[in-house]
Amino acid sequence: MSPVSDVDLHLCLRWAVNGADSAVFIRIPKLACPPELDAFRQPVTVGKGIFVSSRDFANLSDENYVNRSEKKLVVTTGGMFTEVKDAALKYIEEGGLADIFVMRFIKPFDENYFKELVNAYSEVIFVEDGVKTGGISEYLETLLLKIGFNNTKILAFDEKFYSHGTRQDVLKEAGLDTESIYSALKH
């Protein structure tokens, strides 16, 4: 599991202790939690993530949301939410639209729910704070290719050693910083 916030972490822990029927691994990043959104309070459902509409974090009206022509979905792990949200806000300010899907579960993953979700978007961009090769993003990209959805990008760590530095330094070197995510949305 990859929680996105304090509230989400509490929901995941409660589910792991009281509702899980097998071992649970919860990946908690070493960073400050983003400001809470109502979406983070969604009940835990096995295999499903958290859908965060740009209406919720960019304060778009329903009319403004519907009238945006280029709709993109950014699929991310909980630890990358802040960078993804900041990049999406820049993209939205320029007239685009980017909703966010936080993969609360890495495994098991509800593939049918995910396939239905992506139908409303022209492009899916995966942002994963893990290694690209063999990661969940690569797996989901393959799943989408099988159903004929081939407009995807993956931003994740390459299989190499990265320079020592702050979190932001490493994310920038890996192409996972806000500017790199924004650039992927734009192009």
Side-chain angles (χ1 to χ4, degrees):
M1 298 182 81
S2 178
V4 66
S5 73
D6 182 53
V7 168
D8 187 31
L9 173 60
H10 282 83
L11 290 169
C12 290
L13 284 170
R14 200 171 306 125
W15 177 83
V17 171
N18 299 321
D21 58 4
S22 64
V24 176
F25 176 79
I26 299 177
R27 186 168 175 237
I28 304 170
K30 298 177 189 173
L31 57 124
C33 290
E36 295 294 344
L37 296 173
D38 287 340
F40 300 161
R41 300 181 194 298
Q42 293 175 22
V44 175
T45 303
V46 176
K48 290 194 175 151
I50 299 171
F51 177 76
V52 184
S53 170
S54 54
R55 287 178 275 215
D56 299 331
F57 66 87
N59 297 320
L60 289 177
S61 67
D62 287 343
E63 181 181 343
N64 200 349
Y65 180 85
V66 171
N67 290 332
R68 303 276 173 132
S69 60
E70 193 67 21
K71 295 181 180 176
K72 299 184 180 186
L73 180 66
V74 185
V75 179
T76 189
T77 50
M80 293 301 301
F81 181 79
T82 298
E83 288 80 8
V84 166
K85 180 188 65 97
D86 291 346
L89 282 170
K90 284 181 74 169
Y91 182 66
I92 291 165
E93 287 171 6
E94 293 184 354
L97 185 130
D99 292 330
I100 302 170
F101 180 74
V102 180
M103 295 181 281
R104 183 184 260 165
F105 282 85
I106 304 301
K107 194 154 188 107
F109 192 87
D110 189 330
E111 296 175 4
N112 292 327
Y113 171 78
F114 183 68
K115 287 188 272 189
E116 288 176 25
L117 180 65
V118 301
N119 282 332
Y121 298 93
S122 60
E123 183 176 26
V124 174
I125 299 167
F126 297 97
V127 179
E128 179 179 356
D129 55 351
V131 177
K132 178 180 178 180
T133 305
I136 184 68
S137 297
E138 192 176 72
Y139 174 80
L140 294 174
E141 181 183 55
T142 302
L143 177 74
L144 293 180
L145 286 170
K146 287 178 183 176
I147 63 166
F149 190 103
N150 59 4
N151 196 10
T152 62
K153 293 177 191 154
I154 297 177
L155 304 179
F157 287 98
D158 290 324
E159 289 187 71
K160 70 174 198 168
F161 290 102
Y162 288 85
S163 302
H164 180 74
T166 65
R167 180 177 191 274
Q168 288 306 327
D169 293 339
V170 175
L171 290 179
K172 184 172 184 162
E173 184 181 345
L176 291 167
D177 60 316
T178 299
E179 278 305 310
S180 298
I181 298 166
Y182 168 68
S183 180
L185 278 164
K186 212 169 123 174
H187 300 104

